[in-house]
Amino acid sequence: MNNIDAWVWWLVVAAALGIPLVMTAMPEFGMFAVGAVAAAGTAGLGAGIVAQVLVFVLVSVALIAVVRPIAARHAAQRPQLATGVDALKGRQAVVLERVDGSGGRIKLAGEVWSARSLDTGRAYEAGEEVDVVEIEGATAIVI
């Protein structure tokens, strides 16, 4: 097997590793594919099979050791910009129709919402400001 064949085989291995990357969304396969591309480059430069395998292993392990913890850290972080109902929690609203434990209406973020009091014994009259603590379906829970 000459050097040209070796680098071609490494590229075939890289492409083959790309298939499970796409099918399973496991980034480790992508890191192994990058290792195979690095090994192909090593083979293209005329290095022997031992050097090629060593480059493949070193690049793959280095990528897994460095990229995986960074990706895990990013996946664990909550988004800094709250959207949807998460953006409404903690906002103030104005009571339009009396709100108590069984229901009522508020104006929240320019829209009319169904609402109920978190404390079932507490009622809020029209014109009062309340704080939204939770959204359950289409109902705002307020205090």
Side-chain angles (χ1 to χ4, degrees):
M1 177 160 81
N2 60 29
N3 289 339
I4 294 174
D5 289 336
W7 72 264
V8 170
W9 280 111
W10 279 112
L11 291 179
V12 169
V13 169
L17 287 167
I19 294 169
L21 168 67
V22 171
M23 299 300 285
T24 64
M26 291 181 61
E28 290 83 2
F29 285 112
M31 294 174 210
F32 287 133
V34 172
V37 170
T42 304
L45 293 174
I49 189 71
V50 173
Q52 295 169 30
V53 171
L54 191 60
V55 166
F56 170 74
V57 170
L58 288 175
V59 169
S60 299
V61 169
L63 284 173
I64 289 173
V66 172
V67 173
R68 200 168 181 209
I70 293 170
R73 198 174 21 225
H74 282 285
Q77 289 178 343
R78 293 196 62 203
Q80 294 179 352
L81 177 63
T83 59
V85 293
D86 289 332
L88 299 174
K89 295 177 187 173
R91 303 243 344 229
Q92 285 193 331
V94 176
V95 176
L96 297 176
E97 297 173 12
R98 179 185 163 100
V99 175
D100 56 24
S102 62
R105 294 225 179 271
I106 61 170
K107 187 162 194 164
L108 171 63
E111 297 179 353
V112 177
W113 281 73
S114 298
R116 67 179 165 81
S117 174
L118 179 64
D119 179 5
T120 55
R122 178 84 163 93
Y124 303 96
E125 299 302 327
E128 285 187 67
E129 287 192 357
V130 291
D131 292 319
V132 176
V133 293
E134 188 66 46
I135 303 287
E136 290 181 0
T139 302
I141 311 302
V142 299
I143 56 171

